[in-house]
Amino acid sequence: QEDLVESGGGLVQPGGSLRLSCVATETIFGRYAMGWFRQAPGKQREFIAAATISNERIYADSVKGRFTISMDNAKNTQYLQMNRLNPEDTAVYYCNAGGSYYYPTPRPGGYWGQGTQVTVSS
């Protein structure tokens, strides 16, 4: 089994919604902050959102108000609800754990999911 397992990506029309999930091992979920990065073709990896161990939510300006993190402790799962998607959201989305996700310099941790493709297109 993987440390982090992502799912939920797919093809969606502009304005639509998707919910990504990241299932973590208990040790990771209970000990580390978890969040999300994305990377589009030809683009640098971009921080999206995270939940700190103090349960603070951090969102990049590009997704604030559209994306929401939620946690299901019983399932060791973090969800990324993505609403009002636009083509600029098209990317591979990666779950991450153990990072320091605060601005001005969000930093990923050493745990990564395999990535799930999100494509927003008509």
Side-chain angles (χ1 to χ4, degrees):
Q1 62 271 13
E2 302 288 339
D3 291 323
L4 302 174
V5 179
E6 301 151 329
S7 62
L11 175 65
V12 64
Q13 292 186 335
S17 299
L18 287 172
R19 189 174 74 163
L20 307 183
S21 64
C22 178
V23 181
T25 63
E26 187 177 55
T27 55
I28 292 174
F29 194 88
R31 291 181 177 269
Y32 299 108
M34 293 176 58
W36 297 84
F37 292 79
R38 68 186 182 188
Q39 188 164 25
K43 303 292 185 180
Q44 293 185 335
R45 184 179 61 204
E46 177 188 13
F47 169 75
I48 300 302
T52 71
I53 57 175
S54 61
N55 205 34
E56 181 182 1
R57 301 293 196 266
I58 304 170
Y59 298 99
D61 289 342
S62 59
V63 306
K64 191 172 185 179
R66 299 189 298 122
F67 291 11
T68 304
I69 280 180
S70 62
M71 313 290 288
D72 188 334
N73 294 340
K75 297 181 179 180
N76 295 330
T77 300
Q78 182 180 88
Y79 299 98
L80 181 67
Q81 178 67 45
M82 306 185 297
N83 298 325
R84 294 155 52 202
L85 288 161
N86 58 64
E88 289 69 39
D89 296 315
T90 296
V92 178
Y93 285 69
Y94 297 92
C95 183
N96 180 258
S100 178
Y101 305 108
Y102 295 98
Y103 280 91
T105 310
R107 301 183 186 275
Y111 298 97
W112 290 97
Q114 81 286 351
T116 184
Q117 176 71 49
V118 172
T119 302
V120 185
S121 176
S122 299

